[in-house]
Amino acid sequence: MLSAKRSITVKVVTGYVIVAILASLAVWYVYDQVIAYSQIAQSNTENNQQLILVSEISTNLNESENTSRRLIQSGEQEELKIYNAQIDSIKGKLRKLEETYENIDLEKETDSINKLLDQKTENLKELVALRDTDRNTNYYSKALSELKNIDASFKDYNYENRFRNLKPYQKDVLVKWLEYSREDNAERITTQRLDSVVKSVKRVLTDLEFANRQFQNEVIQKENELLNNDMILNQQLQSLLAGLEQKERENTVERAEVFQNMLNKTSNIIIIGGCIILLIILYFIINIIGDITRSQRYRAELEEAKDFAESLLASREQFMAAITHDLRSPLTTVMGYTDLIQKTDLNDKQKHYLNQIKKSSEFILRLVNDLLDLSKLEAGKMLIEKLSFNPKKLIHDTVNNVIPAEKKKDVDIIIEVSDETNVQIQSDPFRIKQILANLISNAWKFTEEGEIVISAELKNTSDKNHLLEISVEDSGIGISKEMQESIFEEFSQENSSIEKRFGGSGLGLAITKRLAKLLDGDITLESEQGEGSKFTILIPVVKISETREEPEREELTDQTEESLDLDASGKKVLIIDDEPGQLSLTVEVAKSMGFEIETAENGKIGLEKLRSNKFDLILTDIQMPILDGFELINRVRTDENFKDLPVIALSGRTDIEREVYTEVGFNNKLLKPYKTKELKQSIANLLHLNYEEKEEKVEPALTNIQLKSDNYDLTDIYEFSGQDEDAMHTIIQAFLNGAQDSLEELRDAFDEKDTDRMGKLAHRMLPMLRQMRANEVIVVLMKLESREEITEQQFDNFENKIFELMSSLNTSITA
Ligand code: ADP
């Protein structure tokens, strides 16, 4: 599962890395293409500049054309300068154009344009020179001087006729001039002379005309040359331009092709890259989906396996519960009967056999209890309580319970608990006691001589939180290093021969460890084989109060008196009951009220005690052997001394009304199991004592006795005992002793089919069992009490149950 997860992560990361590499490659490629494209765009701009240059050259040429015309017209130097500047600029631009085309050789074209330009300039200059000459040549004075030489006999003044072939302006000039000359030489001019003058003039004019025509021709020729030159120049420029344009077009097409190719290539690359990325993503998605499906399948399989394991655990738990329960019942019966047989007359051999049976039964019962605990721990059903207790007291109690009173070994038990542990702390005293009991009993079991030291400390971790450290150190056989590793596992025993010798199931330490963990604590072991072992438990606890001093018994009594809700101190009560449990229960209640107490187990003894003592009150059972409650009240009321003595009947009989009791002389009657409050109220009324009902809060925290179990609930008795553990102990012990006898008698009566005796016995047993809420056995006893017949099997069943109950109670007070 974990590796599948890791593989998915690796795949996702690899996928991302590959996609990132491909994406960077694509970006790099596209960037490269963009750069190339911008270079093409750059060259485009350059080309545009070249075209602009060409068109500028063309414009400049036109301008120079205009300037040249103006120059020809005016012949002004200023215009010539402008023209030259324009030609220079054209040449400069041509040079620039040539330079900008690195790849194309324009030299030929520009050379020829330059030459044409030079030629044009030459032509222009010549034309201007011609024009100048024209302007500077005075044809009229020439003509005049020529005409002065003409014959003075020229007399014909008919100018019109004479100059009819001349141009008007010539004619005009000549006429003016002739008028003038006639005025001067009127006397001298003769007709003859006039003819010769005309001839001369004609000739002069013809010459002039010729010269003029020649000049005009020359100008025209120059102009034509200039025009031609311009044309050629323009053509050359046009062809240059066309060539450049052509080249430019080709370049543009080429660039467009390159660009298109580039675009195609880029889009192809992008498409291919995209496809590859898609494929990779697809590959990884398929792969990851495969992995996820696989891991889902594994998960489903794991869940199935987990469900199966849980169902197995549940079945095992059920099986364990069933088997332990089924084992416990017959086992307690065996033990019960063993106890019964032990009380009969037996020879030594039989006693020995019975001892063996008892030991084995006890061993199996311990094993069954351990198994039950273990299965509860494994199923997480072992509940932990948070109760207040005194660890020092708990340690002392446990030691007292575990170490047999009649020590047969030479082993010193040393308790070294620090003063700090003599306080009230909060944790689960039952579990801590269970742990401690196992450690101490192990130490006792595996130590033949020397000492067992039980030490305890309360370490401060924070303000309220403390660590309870208890260690049990013995000088016993010790534990080998190999064994230490598995000592806390189930069924781990070092050496079967030792176990056989010492007994044990191999579950104790496994349960101990789990219990310690359940309490958020731990257990550690230090041991040397042959030298002893030291088990240390560390349990986090909460400190409740600083009560250091262990209250002495007397102090306790004082305290109890102080807080008595009904103070009967100084008064004496006689309690009569044939059922030891009930008797001791009532005794404890009376004690808690401060009474001085006398007891009797039947009416006869009661009467005897009554006569020899002075009593303030009698509390009596009704159904008793020898002399019952009714007989007793009869005797009491008929005796003058006791006729006003308050007597309260405590009866389990429900078939007789209260009035019957009061009629025969009882002051009151309480139905067993009565409530302490009822009893106190009744006593207070009869003895005129103050009684204020106090909220009687059951604080199971103060006891080490397990108050509740599957087959009993001792809360009421705990209440009766005034929440005193020792009193509880006494009551239960009394009940167990009485019940043992009652059972024997019951079996006899059942065998003899003596229903009446059975009924009486059941009646005697019922109140106490009711008080203990031992519901399983109550039903049968009620049948017996009402003289109903029951089958052999029912009786056997009842017997098993009551033995089981007694065994549980016994464990509870001795644990
Ligand atoms: P058991 O019920 O057999 O005592 P435990 O789990 O309590 O089971 O103990 C397991 C084994 O650990 C014992 O059988 C014994 O071999 C060893 N062991 C436990 N406590 C001690 C000790 N104080 N000294 C020597 N050996 C011990």
Side-chain angles (χ1 to χ4, degrees):
M1 191 76 168
L2 204 72
S3 76
K5 245 187 193 170
R6 205 174 301 135
S7 123
I8 292 173
T9 318
V10 168
K11 278 176 188 168
V12 169
V13 170
T14 321
Y16 274 124
V17 168
I18 294 176
V19 168
I21 290 171
L22 279 174
S24 345
L25 279 175
V27 168
W28 170 77
Y29 181 77
V30 170
Y31 175 76
D32 209 44
Q33 294 300 302
V34 168
I35 296 284
Y37 174 72
S38 71
Q39 275 168 359
I40 293 172
Q42 171 77 16
S43 76
N44 240 346
T45 331
E46 279 171 12
N47 290 329
N48 287 341
Q49 278 175 355
Q50 286 152 358
L51 285 176
I52 289 166
L53 264 180
V54 173
S55 81
E56 272 178 12
I57 291 168
S58 165
T59 315
N60 286 357
L61 267 177
N62 284 336
E63 282 171 4
S64 74
E65 188 70 34
N66 291 336
T67 316
S68 72
R69 286 222 175 84
R70 279 199 309 278
L71 181 62
I72 293 165
Q73 289 287 323
S74 66
E76 280 178 19
Q77 279 304 306
E78 209 45 47
E79 295 291 346
L80 184 66
K81 271 189 200 161
I82 294 171
Y83 174 79
N84 282 337
Q86 284 170 340
I87 294 297
D88 284 348
S89 145
I90 291 168
K91 283 185 176 173
K93 282 176 182 166
L94 276 172
R95 261 198 312 281
K96 207 169 162 192
L97 189 67
E98 202 180 343
E99 280 163 15
T100 53
Y101 277 97
E102 284 167 0
N103 307 331
I104 307 161
D105 190 10
L106 290 176
E107 205 180 337
K108 224 169 91 196
E109 283 88 342
T110 48
D111 272 358
S112 84
I113 292 170
N114 274 334
K115 267 184 202 144
L116 283 168
L117 281 175
D118 289 343
Q119 207 180 331
K120 181 179 171 166
T121 312
E122 262 328 288
N123 283 348
L124 186 68
K125 279 182 182 162
E126 279 173 27
L127 195 63
V128 169
L130 277 176
R131 287 283 188 209
D132 276 354
T133 323
D134 184 29
R135 264 189 295 276
N136 296 334
T137 311
N138 195 343
Y139 290 106
Y140 299 104
S141 58
K142 228 180 183 180
L144 198 62
S145 75
E146 286 293 326
L147 284 172
K148 270 181 182 172
N149 298 328
I150 297 171
D151 195 10
S153 59
F154 188 77
K155 287 180 182 161
D156 187 1
Y157 296 107
N158 189 358
Y159 305 123
E160 280 299 316
N161 194 32
R162 285 185 191 176
F163 300 142
R164 66 177 173 272
N165 295 328
L166 288 180
K167 287 184 179 165
Y169 81 90
Q170 291 171 333
K171 194 164 78 181
D172 197 35
V173 171
L174 276 175
V175 169
K176 276 184 186 160
W177 182 78
L178 284 175
E179 286 294 318
Y180 161 74
S181 60
R182 195 162 61 93
E183 280 167 23
D184 279 356
N185 306 300
E187 300 303 314
R188 284 178 282 147
I189 298 172
T190 64
T191 312
Q192 195 188 1
R193 272 199 69 201
L194 196 63
D195 286 343
S196 112
V197 168
V198 170
K199 274 183 192 167
S200 297
V201 169
K202 269 187 179 169
R203 189 176 45 82
V204 167
L205 286 174
T206 312
D207 286 350
L208 259 173
E209 211 175 316
F210 180 73
N212 194 28
R213 203 169 294 135
Q214 228 178 358
F215 177 76
Q216 288 301 327
N217 281 344
E218 223 175 297
V219 170
I220 287 164
Q221 197 187 335
K222 279 289 161 205
E223 272 180 351
N224 282 343
E225 265 179 41
L226 206 64
L227 269 171
N228 253 351
N229 190 308
D230 276 354
M231 226 160 69
I232 294 166
L233 204 61
N234 277 340
Q235 271 171 4
Q236 290 258 338
L237 271 175
Q238 286 306 326
S239 87
L240 178 67
L241 208 60
L244 284 179
E245 262 176 4
Q246 178 61 28
K247 274 173 192 154
E248 195 43 47
R249 210 167 292 126
E250 283 165 12
N251 275 349
T252 312
V253 171
E254 205 177 302
R255 271 197 303 275
E257 269 172 21
V258 170
F259 183 62
Q260 191 57 43
N261 283 345
M262 213 186 303
L263 218 63
N264 289 346
K265 224 163 135 190
T266 311
S267 51
N268 283 347
I269 294 271
I270 288 174
I271 290 169
I272 293 170
C275 287
I276 293 173
I277 289 178
L278 266 178
L279 281 175
I280 289 171
I281 291 172
L282 213 67
Y283 168 78
F284 280 105
I285 285 176
I286 291 170
N287 234 293
I288 289 165
I289 287 175
D291 281 354
I292 290 171
T293 325
R294 228 183 353 265
S295 79
Q296 292 285 10
R297 202 178 61 237
Y298 290 157
R299 172 184 282 206
E301 282 171 9
L302 265 178
E303 267 166 17
E304 255 176 51
K306 190 175 154 251
D307 287 348
F308 181 63
E310 276 173 1
S311 75
L312 271 185
L313 262 179
S315 319
R316 195 184 83 157
E317 198 193 318
Q318 269 179 0
F319 172 73
M320 290 281 268
I323 208 159
T324 43
H325 186 264
D326 291 351
L327 274 174
R328 266 160 70 119
S329 302
L331 210 58
T332 44
T333 315
V334 170
M335 287 166 78
Y337 278 116
T338 315
D339 282 343
L340 290 181
I341 300 170
Q342 269 179 335
K343 288 189 179 166
T344 58
D345 284 339
L346 298 168
N347 60 34
D348 286 350
K349 213 171 188 179
Q350 285 169 325
K351 273 184 188 158
H352 173 71
Y353 291 157
L354 270 181
N355 259 340
Q356 291 306 315
I357 294 174
K358 194 149 188 213
K359 268 190 190 164
S360 301
S361 312
E362 278 168 0
F363 173 76
I364 300 173
L365 191 64
R366 256 202 319 278
L367 180 66
V368 165
N369 286 338
D370 280 355
L371 278 172
L372 202 63
D373 276 351
L374 200 68
S375 80
K376 270 191 194 163
L377 277 165
E378 279 190 346
K381 290 201 172 156
M382 182 74 90
L383 297 178
I384 287 296
E385 302 199 54
K386 283 237 171 298
L387 305 172
S388 148
F389 66 100
N390 181 312
K392 185 175 179 182
K393 189 168 181 294
L394 181 123
I395 292 167
H396 278 279
D397 285 352
T398 316
V399 173
N400 290 339
N401 285 339
V402 175
I403 306 293
E406 66 297 350
K407 289 200 280 173
K408 287 179 196 146
K409 294 183 190 177
D410 184 16
V411 178
D412 292 334
I413 308 292
I414 303 163
I415 302 176
E416 286 177 352
V417 286
S418 74
D419 260 3
E420 277 68 35
T421 59
N422 190 14
V423 287
Q424 284 300 114
I425 58 166
Q426 200 180 50
S427 182
D428 190 327
F430 303 119
R431 302 298 157 218
I432 295 179
K433 195 169 182 181
Q434 194 176 350
I435 294 172
L436 214 52
N438 185 48
L439 296 181
I440 298 171
S441 74
N442 273 351
W444 179 254
K445 217 163 36 170
F446 298 109
T447 309
E448 284 306 312
E449 55 176 18
E451 57 182 28
I452 296 173
V453 184
I454 298 117
S455 45
E457 266 182 83
L458 196 64
K459 293 178 176 170
N460 198 345
T461 53
S462 71
D463 190 22
K464 282 220 141 193
N465 296 335
H466 288 70
L467 214 55
L468 178 63
E469 183 183 306
I470 308 175
S471 53
V472 180
E473 189 171 8
D474 63 61
S475 57
I477 59 170
I479 301 161
S480 67
K481 289 276 170 263
E482 305 83 66
M483 183 62 191
Q484 285 180 31
E485 284 167 21
S486 60
I487 194 111
F488 295 109
E489 286 165 19
E490 295 93 12
F491 302 106
S492 64
Q493 290 181 319
E494 172 128 49
N495 182 327
S496 55
S497 67
I498 297 176
E499 312 319 328
K500 264 188 203 131
R501 187 150 60 97
F502 295 106
S505 60
L507 288 173
L509 286 178
I511 294 171
T512 302
K513 172 108 183 175
R514 283 170 196 236
L515 284 176
K517 291 274 177 203
L518 202 63
L519 294 170
D520 288 333
D522 205 358
I523 179 164
T524 54
L525 162 68
E526 296 161 48
S527 181
E528 280 291 328
Q529 202 161 24
E531 300 203 355
S533 317
K534 182 181 179 184
F535 286 89
T536 308
I537 52 163
L538 278 166
I539 311 283
V541 294
V542 175
K543 193 163 155 186
I544 304 281
S545 74
E546 281 290 344
T547 350
R548 283 273 164 85
E549 285 308 307
E550 172 90 349
E552 294 298 318
R553 198 81 200 128
E554 301 81 59
E555 279 175 75
L556 199 87
T557 322
D558 287 351
Q559 264 186 359
T560 323
E561 277 171 3
E562 256 174 44
S563 62
L564 288 181
D565 45 4
L566 189 151
D567 190 358
S569 22
K571 303 205 181 286
K572 202 166 181 180
V573 63
L574 173 64
I575 304 170
I576 312 166
D577 205 315
D578 64 328
E579 205 281 303
Q582 275 297 308
L583 182 67
S584 105
L585 193 80
T586 315
V587 166
E588 292 304 329
V589 179
K591 235 191 234 172
S592 77
M593 291 182 257
F595 274 110
E596 200 181 317
I597 302 159
E598 281 288 331
T599 59
E601 53 193 74
N602 57 52
K604 191 169 172 263
I605 303 172
L607 273 179
E608 281 163 15
K609 290 207 170 173
L610 190 65
R611 282 182 191 125
S612 56
N613 280 287
K614 190 179 168 338
F615 289 100
D616 300 287
L617 174 71
I618 298 176
L619 300 174
T620 180
D621 184 21
I622 296 299
Q623 205 162 310
M624 289 179 288
I626 307 170
L627 197 145
D628 70 10
F630 287 117
E631 188 67 40
L632 176 83
I633 194 72
N634 185 29
R635 303 240 185 130
V636 167
R637 292 296 177 232
T638 49
D639 189 323
E640 201 46 37
N641 293 326
F642 310 122
K643 74 175 181 353
D644 295 323
L645 182 67
V647 183
I648 300 174
L650 303 171
S651 170
R653 287 182 71 159
T654 47
D655 54 338
I656 307 172
E657 295 295 311
R658 179 192 295 263
E659 288 68 38
V660 178
Y661 291 93
T662 45
E663 271 168 25
V664 295
F666 285 107
N667 297 77
N668 198 2
K669 178 247 171 181
L670 297 179
L671 182 67
K672 281 189 196 169
Y674 57 85
K675 295 232 163 24
T676 36
K677 280 186 274 178
E678 291 173 327
L679 183 65
K680 284 181 180 175
Q681 190 62 64
S682 181
I683 293 173
N685 292 343
L686 285 173
L687 301 186
H688 309 290
L689 297 170
N690 282 333
Y691 171 58
E692 247 180 69
E693 192 182 310
K694 276 189 188 167
E695 190 59 41
E696 296 197 26
K697 219 169 118 201
V698 178
E699 276 278 2
L702 296 171
T703 179
N704 289 322
I705 296 172
Q706 195 175 339
L707 288 182
K708 285 181 189 175
S709 170
D710 296 344
N711 42 9
Y712 67 79
D713 180 351
L714 302 180
T715 323
D716 280 352
I717 297 186
Y718 185 58
E719 203 180 315
F720 270 100
S721 69
Q723 305 183 357
D724 182 336
E725 202 179 303
D726 290 340
M728 274 279 281
H729 207 279
T730 316
I731 296 168
I732 293 166
Q733 198 56 59
F735 163 75
L736 288 175
N737 296 339
Q740 189 79 41
D741 295 340
S742 301
L743 271 179
E744 277 175 48
E745 283 188 48
L746 206 57
R747 174 46 86 171
D748 286 348
F750 182 77
D751 290 343
E752 288 163 17
K753 306 238 181 305
D754 186 347
T755 45
D756 191 50
R757 201 167 139 217
M758 272 162 65
K760 282 182 182 157
L761 283 166
H763 179 78
R764 189 170 77 171
M765 290 170 82
L766 264 171
M768 197 61 193
L769 291 166
R770 281 203 178 103
Q771 212 109 39
M772 290 176 181
R773 301 195 194 148
N775 301 328
E776 279 186 325
V777 290
I778 287 174
V779 189
V780 181
L781 283 175
M782 278 167 72
K783 277 188 184 169
L784 293 177
E785 189 191 27
S786 54
R787 313 307 193 251
E788 266 182 55
E789 296 242 332
I790 59 164
T791 63
E792 177 87 33
Q793 201 191 346
Q794 279 175 319
F795 190 78
D796 285 350
N797 210 13
F798 158 76
E799 229 172 18
N800 286 344
K801 290 241 159 67
I802 200 147
F803 280 137
E804 204 178 319
L805 169 73
M806 286 161 69
S807 152
S808 304
L809 285 171
N810 199 36
T811 324
S812 131
I813 57 167
T814 52

